[in-house]
């Protein structure tokens, strides 16, 4: 059986040809031709089965043969907010992996000890699109512009909110325990066996959040948490946090 070939087409419901970059990949890399079957994803929750009707030059036209709306695996949104790393490839690695795992939103706060003060949103979005296609996801995570730590904390967000840090002088709760408790509560209150609250998890830069940042987040409703005894790299911590949140959302 041939491997399914996924292409990102934001306006797939009305489009008749692949976007130029996707068309170039289909024709020049994959060597697809008229009559070949492809799968399209719009990033908004729908997959489409299509057949290539014309492949000429830089253009790849198609006809939709089947529309397949997908059901979200959980209610609510999973949001990972990580201060960008000094080495951009580590931030990109994180964006790729958490997209494959399954998150709904990514934010990149500039913190007191941040070593990176700028980030190209378009670059992260390309990584996210590639990971979405590779993992056959129907939804593209929302990628936010880089913001200040205060802007992120002051933004209105409901649901469960956690800030992970390494300060022993600030009381911390185990993130696994907190997520497990939230999942158990959801199981007792709902019948569909999914956690319906939004979840936001904050991960600091290589030098961690400042003590003042942690305390400010706590004053705004974020719970002080730990990811365990090991000191994790920033991008590893974000990936672990996303994995834990997804696990407890789906297996409560």
């Amino acid at each position: 059986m041939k491997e399914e070939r996924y292409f990102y087409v934001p306006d797939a419901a009305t489009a008749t040809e692949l976007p130029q970059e996707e068309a170039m990949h289909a024709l020049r890399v994959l060597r697809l031709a008229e009559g070949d079957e492809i799968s399209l994803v719009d990033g908004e929750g729908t997959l489409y089965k299509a057949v290539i009707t014309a492949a000429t030059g830089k253009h790849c036209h198609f006809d939709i043969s089947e529309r397949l709306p997908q059901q979200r695996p959980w209610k609510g949104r999973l949001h990972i907010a990580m201060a960008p790393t000094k080495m951009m490839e580590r931030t990109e690695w994180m964006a790729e992996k958490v997209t494959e795992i399954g998150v709904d939103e990514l934010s990149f706060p500039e913190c007191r000890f941040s070593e990176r003060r700028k980030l190209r949103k378009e670059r992260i979005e390309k990584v996210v699109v590639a990971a979405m296609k590779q993992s056959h996801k129907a939804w593209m995570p929302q990628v936010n512009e880089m913001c200040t730590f205060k802007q992120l904390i002051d933004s209105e967000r409901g649901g469960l909110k956690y800030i992970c840090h390494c300060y022993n002088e600030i009381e911390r709760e185990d993130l696994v325990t907190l997520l497990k408790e939230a999942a158990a509560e959801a199981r007792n209150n709902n019948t569909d066996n999914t956690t319906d609250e939004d979840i936001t998890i904050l991960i600091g830069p290589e030098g961690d959040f400042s003590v003042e940042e942690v305390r400010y987040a706590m004053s705004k409703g974020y719970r002080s948490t730990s990811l365990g005894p090991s000191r994790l790299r920033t991008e590893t911590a974000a990936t672990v946090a996303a994995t834990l949140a997804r696990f407890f959302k789906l297996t409560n």
Side-chain angles (χ1 to χ4, degrees):
M1 184 175 67
K2 290 185 178 180
E3 180 182 357
E4 285 189 87
R5 304 175 179 95
Y6 277 66
F7 298 91
Y8 176 48
V9 185
D11 56 346
T14 57
T16 59
E17 68 175 291
L18 295 179
Q20 185 175 5
E21 188 172 341
E22 295 286 330
M24 297 288 282
H25 181 70
L27 302 180
R28 295 192 177 183
V29 178
L30 299 177
R31 302 293 182 183
L32 299 182
E34 182 178 339
D36 285 334
E37 296 181 349
I38 56 176
S39 295
L40 314 178
V41 58
D42 63 4
E44 297 292 335
T46 302
L47 301 178
Y48 300 84
K49 298 296 184 181
V51 177
I52 295 177
T53 56
T56 58
K58 299 179 181 180
H59 299 279
C60 184
H61 295 264
F62 60 81
D63 276 343
I64 299 292
S65 58
E66 191 174 6
R67 183 176 181 274
L68 302 169
Q70 303 296 295
Q71 183 176 357
R72 282 191 178 276
W74 57 62
K75 297 178 182 178
R77 292 172 63 81
L78 174 54
H79 175 209
I80 298 295
M82 185 195 85
T85 53
K86 181 178 180 180
M87 297 177 64
M88 192 62 196
E89 55 264 33
R90 289 182 176 173
T91 296
E92 293 174 357
W93 180 88
M94 181 281 300
E96 177 184 75
K97 298 312 172 189
V98 300
T99 299
E100 293 174 9
I101 292 165
V103 300
D104 301 292
E105 186 175 356
L106 288 172
S107 291
F108 301 95
E110 178 187 352
C111 303
R112 178 179 176 184
F113 299 137
S114 290
E115 295 191 67
R116 175 172 289 277
R117 305 287 175 176
K118 294 181 180 180
L119 178 142
R120 288 175 53 198
K121 174 184 173 183
E122 299 79 11
R123 183 169 171 174
I124 298 297
E125 285 180 331
K126 283 189 175 183
V127 172
V128 166
V129 166
M132 175 184 65
K133 294 189 296 180
Q134 187 277 329
S135 56
H136 295 186
K137 294 284 191 299
W139 281 270
M140 176 180 168
Q142 175 183 329
V143 179
N144 297 323
E145 296 281 0
M146 193 169 179
C147 62
T148 67
F149 178 81
K150 189 175 187 304
Q151 285 173 330
L152 177 66
I153 299 302
D154 288 345
S155 62
E156 290 293 331
R157 289 191 176 276
L160 308 173
K161 301 186 293 186
Y162 308 107
I163 181 168
C164 302
H165 64 90
C166 300
Y167 292 107
N168 292 326
E169 62 265 37
I170 301 177
E171 184 176 354
R172 294 175 294 166
E173 300 174 89
D174 181 60
L175 182 62
V176 171
T177 300
L178 293 177
L179 290 171
K180 186 183 297 185
E181 290 173 351
E185 183 177 354
R187 183 173 60 247
N188 293 332
N189 295 335
N190 299 300
T191 58
D192 61 1
N193 210 39
T194 61
T195 304
D196 58 5
E197 288 188 278
D198 292 350
I199 296 179
T200 297
I201 304 176
L202 308 187
I203 305 294
E206 284 94 336
D208 207 344
F209 297 111
S210 69
V211 170
E212 293 77 16
E213 286 172 332
V214 174
R215 295 195 186 283
Y216 186 70
M218 292 172 65
S219 74
K220 295 292 186 176
Y222 284 81
R223 297 183 73 168
S224 170
T225 63
S226 166
L227 285 170
S230 298
R231 183 65 64 92
L232 303 177
R233 287 185 181 274
T234 295
E235 69 277 10
T236 306
T239 305
V240 169
T243 302
L244 291 172
R246 179 177 171 85
F247 176 79
F248 285 110
K249 265 184 169 289
L250 293 179
T251 61
N252 59 345

